[in-house]
Amino acid sequence: MSYFYKKSDTLENLVNKYFAAIEEYNKEKYNGSISIILLGSLSRGEGSFTETENGIKLLSDIEYFTVVPDDFTDFEGYTDYCQIVEKEIFGFLETELFHIDNTFIKKSVLPRMEKKLITYDAKCMGKTVVGNDTVYLLPEINIRNINKRDIKDIVTHRVFYALNYGMSFKEKGDTEKYRYCLAKNSLDLMTVLLVSRGQLASGFIRRFEIIKQLPIDQKIKNYFEYCLSVKLSTDCEYHFKVPEMEEIFLILIKTLNKQFKVCIINDFINIKHVMKRRAGILKRMLKYGAVPSLKHTENLIKRFENKDFLTERDKLNNLILNGYPLK
């Protein structure tokens, strides 16, 4: 399989080497009982990188589920080994835009996973890169049963990340990293736009193909096409300066946050996970002794509009409501 949209034998080999090392460790240490489902851009062949005078820099994260037997206990040992391999293979390539994100999931839990976007993408485009295939165990998800509260939360996540990472790049004068940050977070909003119009798709390229057919402002379509070219490092007939990108990103998050609605029927379909999320918020409220603002998303949008930095209270609110960032 190919992980990157633009060809790079070097990076393809490094990713293969990373998972091959884990595969060997899996066989030796755990008798091959672990499986890894690759997620995100790399699983779709949409991975991106940039070539600078200092060499290749990875832009796309490596995201995956590590599926373990129900009686698995060696989480710390496995994590330590993966971090050692990561440093050995990718240490010289890492930038602020590249991370390796692993989520442990017990095998018996796969069929009962929350019907949210990451699960849908894993079912549609996830690739087994270590161990036996387990993708088939994931639940079937469609536009009717996907948890739309998870989709609406994308607006909050995207503006938070644009502030948390983007403003730092902007302050440092690193325009290209800031441009990439805006482009990536804008592309994620395509999902919210599509679901609000009754459509669900996996992958930036596929989502954009559908958006091109929608009766929306042509400038928005051109903007998404430009963002896609930034993400994939391809040519585009359109060009948007950073202030224009900020303006359109702001329009999108304001509009989607206001217009996207979650119906009672959808909450009922996903009641178990809706209640679980609320229980998690209550637990974190008690742990941190704080009540989050009911206008958290609107406050974040206002910060972006005013070109402000996140406050510690913003970060605490986000931690209570969404479970990140953790200290």
Side-chain angles (χ1 to χ4, degrees), residues 115 144-146 264-274:
K115 294 179 175 65
R144 293 177 298 280
N145 65 17
I146 193 167
I264 295 175
I265 293 176
N266 187 262
D267 272 346
F268 180 76
I269 291 172
N270 295 281
I271 189 64
K272 176 182 175 181
H273 294 287
V274 170

Side-chain angles (χ1 to χ4, degrees), residues 5-6 179 183 187 208 212 218-241 245:
Y5 188 77
K6 288 179 66 177
R179 185 191 308 278
L187 288 173
F208 177 63
K212 286 196 297 185
Q218 185 61 44
K219 186 175 182 180
I220 298 297
K221 296 180 184 181
N222 295 348
Y223 175 67
F224 280 133
E225 184 171 351
Y226 174 68
C227 289
L228 191 59
S229 75
V230 172
K231 172 69 175 66
L232 300 177
S233 299
T234 57
D235 295 329
C236 181
E237 63 177 299
Y238 311 108
H239 181 81
F240 292 82
K241 296 179 180 179
M245 296 181 72

Side-chain angles (χ1 to χ4, degrees), residues 140-189:
E140 296 293 335
I141 302 175
N142 53 52
I143 191 64
R144 293 177 298 280
N145 65 17
I146 193 167
N147 189 343
K148 291 182 180 175
R149 291 203 176 274
D150 175 68
I151 303 298
K152 183 175 176 60
D153 285 346
I154 291 173
V155 176
T156 308
H157 301 325
R158 292 311 103 208
V159 68
F160 183 87
Y161 275 101
L163 287 164
N164 195 45
Y165 293 101
M167 287 303 177
S168 176
F169 296 143
K170 185 176 183 179
E171 184 185 41
K172 295 175 184 176
D174 198 331
T175 303
E176 292 313 304
K177 285 182 181 176
Y178 184 49
R179 185 191 308 278
Y180 182 89
C181 182
L182 286 173
K184 171 64 168 61
N185 284 291
S186 296
L187 288 173
D188 283 333
L189 294 175

